[in-house]
Every structure is written in structure tokens, then in C-alpha cells.
């Protein structure tokens, strides 16, 4: 199974062709527009968001389901999908900025994991991926949204970061960034992640600034699993 996540910086209908050679089974796309479920040939498309031009999408290569009974629209933005026997949770985390959508809204990962925890525990085939907008460099002692706490919570649920499993690198000192602030190559960050319960990571790829900066301030991150 191959997983890919990318914050496309809008206009995904035009940019979808750029991923045609990725051969991913599941795509997590942040900042994409809302389109019909069958818009992308060969994929089932699910979407959530407040702005129809800029939300969170999950594409699966084949039919999948949106579990409406467990979905929480006050989480900004997190999208559960069931694809074959795999539980999928897409993320475009607004963190503290979610409050602009209402005082009851949350963009904090720990709130989301608390709600979806039993669902995640119910399967050995789980993928959580997307733009976390977070990393250890922003951790503040005692803050509830510290990345170290998010990573620990995911680990306790049986999920590991594919990039870090494969590379052996530590969090916060990644050699391959996924985001370039203001599309500036001198301002690199690693804030996009693919977590899963799959134990064997066959390959991980991170796009280059040169190849992707004309489309977005993020580059695609993909992982190939033995499953």
C-alpha cells in the first residue's frame, strides 16, 4: 500500500495531474477544493471544510466510506474514511487557529485522538496523515498541543511516523523538509507526517523544492508499506 500526503495550496483540480505517476492508493490533500466524489477518475473523493475552495480531501483508489456516525465537524480539519479494511484519518490541523470557527471548535490533535481513540484501537490497519502544522521546535513547556505529546499519544495507539521509521532520523532535525515558508528555500520545516500501524516501511519519498515550489509551499510526502 502506498500513501501520499500533500498540501496543494489550492487549485488541486489543475494540479492533480502532477501526482499521476505517484501510484498512491490513498492521497491526503490539504487546501483542496470541493468537487463531486467521482471527479477524479479511478478514485473515491471525500472532503470537509468551511470554504469550498480550500478544505481537506482524502482520495482512495477504489470505493470507500465516510463514517458519518463518528465524524466531528467541530474538529478543524480531520476527516475519517474507511477504505477496504483500513481506517484512515486525514489531517489539516488548524491547532489554536480553529477557534476562529467558534469557541467550541478545536484544531488540537490530542482532542481528536481522544475522540477517535476507540475507533483507532479497533483495527490493526490504520493510517493517519496530513499537514500537522506542528513540530518539536514549537513545543512550549506544559502546552497541551506540544508535538512531543502528540507523537507519544499516536505511539500509544500503535502508530509510528513512516518517515522517521525509514530514515532513522530524530524528530525536529529532519534532513528532508516538507514545507518552505513563503516558498523560501532558506526557510524549511518538516510539518507533514504519515503515521500508521503498518510495521514494514519499504520506501519513503519527499518531493524537492525545485520540482514543487511552482505549485505549493509544501512538497509531497509518500510512504510505501508492506501490508
Amino acid at each position: 500500500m502506498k500513501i501520499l500526503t500533500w498540501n496543494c495550496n489550492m487549485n488541486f483540480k489543475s494540479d492533480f495531474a502532477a501526482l499521476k505517476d505517484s501510484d498512491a492508493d490513498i492521497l491526503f490533500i490539504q487546501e483542496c477544493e470541493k468537487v463531486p466524489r467521482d471527479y477524479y477518475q479511478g478514485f473515491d473523493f471525500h472532503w470537509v471544510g468551511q470554504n469550498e475552495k480550500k478544505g481537506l480531501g482524502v482520495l482512495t483508489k477504489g470505493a470507500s466510506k465516510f463514517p458519518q456516525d463518528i465524524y466531528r465537524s467541530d474538529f478543524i480539519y480531520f476527516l475519517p474514511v474507511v477504505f477496504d479494511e483500513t481506517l484512515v484519518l486525514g489531517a489539516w490541523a488548524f491547532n489554536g487557529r480553529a477557534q476562529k470557527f467558534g469557541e467550541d471548535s478545536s484544531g488540537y490533535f490530542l482532542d481528536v485522538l481522544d475522540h477517535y481513540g476507540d475507533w483507532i484501537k479497533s483495527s490493526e490497519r490504520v493510517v493517519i496523515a496530513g499537514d500537522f502544522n506542528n513540530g518539536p521546535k514549537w513545543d512550549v513547556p506544559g502546552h497541551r498541543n506540544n508535538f512531543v505529546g502528540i507523537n507519544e499519544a499516536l505511539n500509544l495507539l500503535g502508530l509510528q511516523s513512516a518517515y522517521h521509521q525509514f530514515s532513522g532520523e530524530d524528530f525536529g532535525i529532519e534532513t528532508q523538509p516538507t514545507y518552505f515558508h513563503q516558498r523560501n528555500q532558506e526557510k524549511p520545516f518538516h510539518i507533514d507526517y504519515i503515521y500508521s500501524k503498518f510495521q514494514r516501511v519499504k520506501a519513503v519519498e519527499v518531493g524537492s523544492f525545485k520540482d514543487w515550489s511552482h505549485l505549493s509551499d509544501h512538497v509531497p510526502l509518500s510512504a510505501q508499506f508492506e501490508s
Side-chain angles (χ1 to χ4, degrees):
M1 175 178 284
K2 186 173 183 180
I3 310 297
L4 182 147
T5 182
W6 182 41
N7 184 319
C8 68
N9 196 220
M10 305 176 68
N11 299 313
F12 185 61
K13 288 192 294 184
S14 299
D15 297 342
F16 176 68
L19 299 177
K20 68 180 186 303
D21 294 328
S22 70
D23 196 32
D25 298 288
I26 307 173
L27 296 95
F28 299 80
I29 307 296
Q30 302 83 44
E31 297 195 22
C32 65
E33 62 270 53
K34 183 179 182 180
V35 295
R37 282 184 63 170
D38 60 354
Y39 185 87
Y40 299 105
Q41 185 175 3
F43 287 89
D44 200 358
F45 178 72
H46 303 272
W47 184 95
V48 294
Q50 304 282 342
N51 179 344
E52 292 196 355
K53 294 183 179 180
K54 193 176 183 180
L56 168 64
V58 171
L59 295 84
T60 60
K61 189 179 288 184
S64 52
K65 297 178 181 179
F66 171 56
Q68 182 70 48
D69 57 323
I70 63 168
Y71 171 64
R72 287 272 301 271
S73 61
D74 54 333
F75 292 146
I76 315 296
Y77 293 111
F78 296 86
L79 173 57
V81 173
V82 180
F83 176 49
D84 288 337
E85 298 178 350
T86 302
L87 306 185
V88 174
L89 184 63
W92 177 24
F94 270 53
N95 302 314
R97 293 179 297 127
Q99 288 289 298
K100 70 181 182 179
F101 297 109
E103 62 181 17
D104 293 329
S105 297
S106 174
Y108 289 144
F109 237 103
L110 292 182
D111 292 340
V112 174
L113 295 178
D114 183 60
H115 171 69
Y116 289 110
D118 288 342
W119 184 66
I120 294 168
K121 293 174 185 176
S122 72
S123 175
E124 291 303 312
R125 298 177 60 86
V126 181
V127 178
I128 300 176
D131 179 358
F132 286 32
N133 274 312
N134 208 338
K137 72 170 298 172
W138 293 286
D139 283 0
V140 176
H143 197 282
R144 63 191 294 244
N145 200 48
N146 282 344
F147 183 82
V148 64
I150 295 169
N151 182 58
E152 288 176 357
L154 286 162
N155 292 169
L156 286 172
L157 288 168
L159 294 99
Q160 302 287 332
S161 164
Y163 175 91
H164 298 87
Q165 277 182 287
F166 188 76
S167 69
E169 296 175 4
D170 291 330
F171 288 94
I173 55 172
E174 296 89 354
T175 59
Q176 297 184 77
T178 63
Y179 168 65
F180 298 88
H181 185 57
Q182 298 175 333
R183 303 198 191 194
N184 185 338
Q185 195 170 8
E186 302 304 315
K187 297 180 179 180
F189 301 92
H190 192 107
I191 62 174
D192 303 88
Y193 304 89
I194 298 171
Y195 278 80
S196 87
K197 290 189 179 183
F198 300 127
Q199 298 300 310
R200 296 186 179 182
V201 185
K202 294 174 62 177
V204 168
E205 296 180 17
V206 182
S208 70
F209 177 84
K210 177 182 177 181
D211 290 341
W212 293 92
S213 60
H214 66 292
L215 296 177
S216 176
D217 46 3
H218 290 248
V219 299
L221 167 69
S222 66
Q224 179 81 44
F225 299 97
E226 290 185 14
S227 58

